[in-house]
Every structure is written in structure tokens, then in C-alpha cells.
Amino acid sequence: MTVEQPAIEIVQLTKTYGQKTAVRELSLRFEAGRIHCLLGPNGAGKTTTIKTIMGLKNPTSGDVRINGVSIRSDGIHEARRGIGYLPEEPLLYDHLTGREFLQFVSEIYGVSGRRNGIEGRLAEFEMQTAGDEPIRTYSLGMKKKIAFLATLISDPPILIYDEPTSALDALSARKVKEVLSDYRSRGRLVLFTTHILEIAERLADRIAIMDHGALRFSGSLEELRNEMHESGEASLEDLFVQLVADGKGQSE
Amino acid sequence: MGSGGAQRWYMFQPPLSFLHAVSTGEWSLAVLSMTVLSLLTVVSVWLLARWYRVAHREIILDGGSVQTPLYSSAFAPGRRRVPFAPGSVSGAFWVKDVLLPIRRSAAGYAQQLAFTLSGSIVTVVFLHFWEESRTTGSGVTCFVLVLATLAVPLLFSAHGCLPVLGMEGVNIALLRPALGVRRLFIAKSSAQALFVLGHAAVLATLIGIGARWTGLAHPGILVALGLALAATVGFSAMGLALGFGLPDFHRRSMMLPGASKAAQFIHMAGGGMVAVTWSLLATAFTLGHITILTLAVGVIMPLALVMTLSVAFGFWSLRQLERLEI
């Protein structure tokens, strides 16, 4: 039996900022065809981990491999072309309209014309008219929607989202969840972080919990229940709070 | 001084020129002055009215009175991107980084142009008085005029080239994999260099015309244009190399979002030294102390040095950009 190569593999990753260690010897595997969720309290190292995958941070030690390509190798930019990335605070160009931003991204990725599906996506998220308004007039939620749609333009095999549903209204958040589920069913990898544990519970196939830069748990919700010796009724929120509180007790 | 044009310095002050024109019966000048005055009045009233309408309502968060504009897409298939080919990546950055900020923030761009133009006019008017108060010609006039000409590419390259990468912020995670660092550099650089070149050429010509009209000592429009072109190439190369090598992805200032303090300092200090050197050479040429050949050599040598350093730093920047973190 052969072990399938993960779409993203994090190997003994450590990232320090001066004296502070943001991520400590983290090892994780994210497989295609699944939705993975990275959880943790504020300052746990989730965003640093994602930024390291995306090349916005360099590891102090350890490695990240995208489809087997190390982030230290020359071919990493080509590997990252296959990732749609939504940062926690996306930076859109204020003087462009939402539609222009999407068309600009589609040109940069060489996906022109109807293949980019911009009009369909704008309609899906009820942004057809707002798509002609300058981004500087958008609310935070509208900016997040446009940035989210931009990640789908090149139809990438890997989607990485940092807090994808924050600032979104309920309808849009549901739409985002539907899109992510659809991507999973098409064999794509979705990796996201969130503080809304209900979304993680409903959507994620695999959960990784980080605290103070270290991995506390990785596996399915069922495996987490077993590890915490809890019944099938325990919610992710209960388990998460218990796990993080235990960690605090240990560290103190 | 003493040419007919030199006496018309008041042309730069519409109220004065109107009074003078009426008193001397120069009716065409009076109409021109009134037209300029009317335009200035309309712009002032418009700005004041806009401030009056919006300012106090924003305090109580009433956004209802402000209508959101709708724009047809500048990236729609078939839209022209002169001077770039349709669908080219450089053309896409030309539209995003140069054309749309000007079109959508016309007031800001107008302010920038007005500042540059009025600065040039004030320089010419000031030099006119300076020359008039002296009995002999002065090299200072020529020096200041050339320096003002070279200040235009220096300031515009600071504005256009230094923020070239840093302004993208976290979007570098989008652009770097899509284009690769070299293609990204070429696409962004060509659009910005063209922006600087256009402004430098137009304003150098205007200063040259102004100097000739008022009879000031000046190396001539062609020489000024040559200097402006050399300055555009040198200062833009320096600005782009520094913009890619020393970006600041977090700085979001109004004029220079993404330009680091270090890049600004090196650009201004290096560019300023070159501009002063060239202005002195141009003055010596105008006063007949050196030939045009000596002037050309004196311009080319610092330019070659600037270009060599910029290219070397640019290559280093691109290597860094492969692993640059935000």
C-alpha cells in the first residue's frame, strides 16, 4: 500500500520573532479532497503558519512542501500558482471597482473571457450592481466577498482562507460554506482558520488545534472526542475550551 | 531682460493681469485673464460647496446624501490600453497603477499637477524679478531653472517608482506566484517609468517655454528636454530598484503608500546630488564656459554610474524578492 502525498505538508516548522516563538516544531499534513480547519486562541500561530505556506513569512527552521515542492526550492512560485489565498485582512485596490479587481486578477492569472466565471460568481453573491462601484465605498463584508471571489478565478486545486466568514452576513457566509463544500467534492484541498467553532464543526473533515505555537491536536472531531474521553454529544466548542484550558493548566 | 515678453510677468497673476489689461486697453488679455479667474472661482466654489455639503453630515454618519458612482469596467475585453498592447500584463498594471488612480481621483491628481505647475511658475516669476533687480546676468537663474526642471522627474519618480512594490502589501502573495519576480518587475516598472517620462517631458518643455518667453537665461528647450529624459531614466531606475529592494508593505501614507523611509532618503539624496551636478553643468554650458560635448559627457557619466548601481541593486532586489517576507 502506498501513502498518498499530501497537497501540503508542514515538517517541524518553527518561526520566531526575536525572542518570541510564534510556531514551534509544527508538523501537519493536509490532503486533497478534504476540508481542514486550523483552530486556536488568539496568538496561537495559525496566521503565521498560513503566511509561511504562502511565502509571506520565512521559516526559522523546518520546511513546508506544496505538492512535494519545498518552499526553499526554486519551483515554489509555480507550486503556489495553484493556491487561492484569502488573507485575514485582504488589501484591495480602492480606486478599482469590484468587477475590475476580479478582471485584473483573471488577467494576471491568464484566465480571460468566460472561463473566469466572474459574472456568475458576482451574481451568486449578489454583487452584480455593487461590482461597478469603487471598492473604497465597500463595507468590510463586501471587500471580503470580492477577495473571496478572486481566490476562485483560476479554479485552484488548493484554497487557503484566514477567517473566511468574518465580517460576512449570514447569507454570504452560507454561500461561502457551500462553495467550500463544492470544492471538497471536486477533490480540492480547503484549509481555513476560524474562531467560529460551529463552522469548523459543520464543515471540517479534519481539525488541527494550536496553542502557543504548538500543535495540541490533529484529527477528526470523533478522534478528538475519543482523546478527550468525551461522549458523542460533546460539541467542538466544549472540547476546544477544555483542551486549551488543560494546556494553560499544564503551562502554569 | 528687456524682451517684450519679459514685461508680461503679471500674466501669471490673473487679477493683476486683468487690471493691467483693462488699464492699457489690451482686451484679448483681459478676456483671457477673466476666463482664468472664472475657472479658478468655479473650482474654489465647487471645492467649498463639496466640503460644506459633506463635512458636517459625516460627523453624524449620514452617508445617504452621497451617491455612490458606478463605473464601467476599464478591464472589459476589447478596451484599449494605449500605449500597451491589449491584454498585456504591463497594460493591466498601466491601467491599475497609473490610469485609474488619475481618472478616479481626478482632484488629487489635479492638486499634484497644480502644485508642480504653480511651483514652476513661481520659480520663473521669482527669477524674473531677481534678474530685473540686477544689472548683469546671473548664472543663478539658469541653475535654478534647470534644477526646477530636474526636480520634476525626481519628485514624480519618488511618487511613482518608490511605492511600486510596497503598495501591493499582502497582494504580493497573489502576484509573485502568478507572474514570477522578473515579469512582475518588468510589468510594474514599464508602466511607472512611462508615467514619470510623460510628466517630466511636458513640464520640462513648459519651463523652457516660460524661460524663453520671459527672457531668462536657459540652456534651451532641446537641452532641457535631453536633461529631463536623462533624469527620468536615471531617477526612475534608482526609484524602481529601491522600490523593489527596500519596500515597506505596511506603510499606507497618502502620497507614498509602501515606500520605506530608507528608500525615500537614498532616492532624494542620490537624485538631489545628480540634479545639482547637472544643473551646474547646464549653467556652465549656458554661460559659454563648456561645450555641448562636455555637457553631454558630464551628464552621461553620472547617469552611467546611477544606472550601474541601480541595475546591480535591482538584481539583488529581485533575488531578495524570491524570499521576501511581509
Side-chain angles (χ1 to χ4, degrees), chain B residues 62-87:
Chain B
D62 174 16
S65 58
V66 182
Q67 198 173 3
T68 307
L70 295 174
Y71 298 111
S72 61
S73 175
F75 289 93
R79 289 288 287 264
R80 295 174 69 192
R81 286 172 193 177
V82 178
F84 293 98

Side-chain angles (χ1 to χ4, degrees), chain A residues 97-100 122 127-134 138 146, chain B residues 70-71:
Chain A
T97 66
R99 181 175 274 105
E100 283 170 340
L122 283 172
M127 291 282 290
Q128 278 164 306
T129 307
D132 286 331
E133 293 171 4
Y138 283 8
I146 290 293
Chain B
L70 295 174
Y71 298 111

Side-chain angles (χ1 to χ4, degrees), chain A residues 1-251:
Chain A
M1 193 178 118
T2 56
V3 179
E4 197 183 337
Q5 178 185 282
I8 297 176
E9 186 175 17
I10 298 172
V11 186
Q12 291 291 301
L13 176 71
T14 296
K15 176 67 182 175
T16 58
Y17 299 104
Q19 299 291 316
K20 192 187 168 202
T21 303
V23 178
R24 194 187 309 269
E25 295 180 351
L26 179 71
S27 292
L28 273 171
R29 294 161 63 94
F30 303 114
E31 295 90 8
R34 282 182 175 161
I35 297 181
H36 294 259
C37 182
L38 204 50
L39 297 175
N42 292 331
K46 308 181 295 293
T47 297
T48 300
T49 303
I50 282 182
K51 283 186 172 178
T52 308
I53 296 171
M54 291 313 301
L56 298 175
K57 296 285 175 206
N58 293 324
T60 307
S61 65
D63 198 8
V64 176
R65 294 181 199 124
I66 299 166
N67 290 321
V69 181
S70 164
I71 55 168
R72 297 177 195 279
S73 73
D74 289 337
I76 189 60
H77 290 316
E78 192 56 39
R80 284 199 184 108
R81 255 187 87 93
I83 301 179
Y85 168 56
L86 176 69
E88 187 178 4
E89 290 174 20
L91 176 68
L92 306 183
Y93 310 115
D94 278 356
H95 52 277
L96 266 62
T97 66
R99 181 175 274 105
E100 283 170 340
F101 179 78
L102 297 177
Q103 286 170 337
F104 171 75
V105 173
S106 77
E107 282 195 19
I108 295 300
Y109 274 86
V111 191
S112 54
R114 288 183 186 171
R115 280 189 302 141
N116 56 38
I118 290 172
E119 294 309 318
R121 292 289 188 193
L122 283 172
E124 205 176 342
F125 280 79
E126 296 178 351
M127 291 282 290
Q128 278 164 306
T129 307
D132 286 331
E133 293 171 4
I135 288 170
R136 65 170 179 269
T137 64
Y138 283 8
S139 66
L140 186 58
M142 289 163 84
K143 284 182 182 173
K144 202 89 188 231
K145 277 196 265 186
I146 290 293
F148 175 77
L149 295 183
T151 66
L152 307 177
I153 281 175
S154 62
D155 197 19
I158 301 173
L159 293 169
I160 298 181
Y161 297 130
D162 202 351
E163 297 282 347
T165 54
S166 68
L168 291 186
D169 59 69
L171 287 176
S172 303
R174 171 169 283 195
K175 202 52 119 177
V176 166
K177 287 184 261 179
E178 286 172 11
V179 171
L180 299 191
S181 298
D182 176 51
Y183 264 70
R184 167 177 52 193
S185 65
R186 290 163 57 197
R188 309 296 166 93
L189 161 65
V190 178
L191 167 63
F192 73 101
T193 70
T194 184
H195 286 293
I196 308 170
L197 298 181
E198 190 196 351
I199 293 177
E201 188 167 352
R202 281 193 188 178
L203 215 55
D205 303 306
R206 309 279 295 175
I207 294 161
I209 300 176
M210 293 177 71
D211 191 17
H212 290 95
L215 183 68
R216 300 296 314 280
F217 170 81
S218 174
S220 66
L221 181 58
E222 204 46 53
E223 287 167 351
L224 180 59
R225 286 193 183 111
N226 290 338
E227 191 170 308
M228 305 288 291
H229 309 292
E230 290 288 344
S231 67
E233 308 235 324
S235 70
L236 176 60
E237 188 179 321
D238 298 332
L239 300 167
F240 175 82
V241 169
Q242 196 181 329
L243 187 75
V244 173
D246 283 353
K248 270 189 185 157
Q250 281 169 19
S251 64

Side-chain angles (χ1 to χ4, degrees), chain B residues 271-295:
Chain B
M273 263 176 16
V274 171
V276 168
T277 307
W278 287 352
S279 301
L280 285 171
L281 283 168
T283 306
F285 165 72
T286 308
L287 298 178
H289 298 314
I290 59 172
T291 63
I292 185 89
L293 192 66
T294 314
L295 174 65

